[in-house]
Amino acid sequence: MATKVAIIASNGGLFDAYKVFNIATASAATDAEVAIFFTFEGLNLIHKEAYQQLPMPVGKEHFAEGFKNANVPSIPELVGMAQQMGVKIIACQMTMDVMNLKKEDFIEGIDVGGAVTFLDFAKDANITLTF
């Protein structure tokens, strides 16, 4: 049986995106089954416009050059890699309703579901992480 990795993404900054998508793609690369549940500010990580310009934490601007020098992929590139590797991306329906967001506001290829959708995946996950 393959390893299952369940990730909750509830924060929406650049460093949060790198944590979520690095773990997701690394897990998928080891043939794990991966699902990420995006809620509250975490929805920024898959929002068509927001994910292209996620904020660098204040005082950490010097990391921008480090990312570039280390050839670290951009968040849109990492999201694409995750999707190509079969990572399941679930946007929280309740949060979308609260924030008046529609599926069309997000990148292509996502699922929309409630907590129960994620819990159905996560109930037998080997690893569960929250960022």
Side-chain angles (χ1 to χ4, degrees), residues 11-28:
N11 293 299
L14 183 66
F15 285 6
D16 303 302
Y18 277 116
K19 291 178 222 175
V20 167
F21 289 108
N22 280 332
I23 294 292
T25 55
S27 300

Side-chain angles (χ1 to χ4, degrees), residues 30-103:
T30 65
D31 293 327
E33 187 181 353
V34 184
I36 311 169
F37 185 68
F38 294 86
T39 187
F40 295 101
E41 286 85 15
L43 287 172
N44 286 338
L45 308 186
I46 56 170
H47 188 277
K48 274 183 189 170
E49 294 169 15
Y51 88 134
Q52 297 180 43
Q53 54 194 4
L54 295 169
M56 181 75 71
V58 175
K60 303 293 184 188
E61 294 81 7
H62 62 282
F63 276 88
E65 190 173 330
F67 282 127
K68 184 179 173 197
N69 292 342
N71 294 318
V72 175
S74 69
I75 296 307
E77 290 170 323
L78 276 175
V79 172
M81 289 168 51
Q83 289 182 302
Q84 288 174 356
M85 298 170 92
V87 172
K88 185 176 181 101
I89 294 177
I90 307 165
C92 177
Q93 180 71 64
M94 181 200 74
T95 307
M96 288 172 59
D97 292 346
V98 168
M99 299 173 83
N100 197 29
L101 295 166
K102 306 281 180 258
K103 187 174 183 179

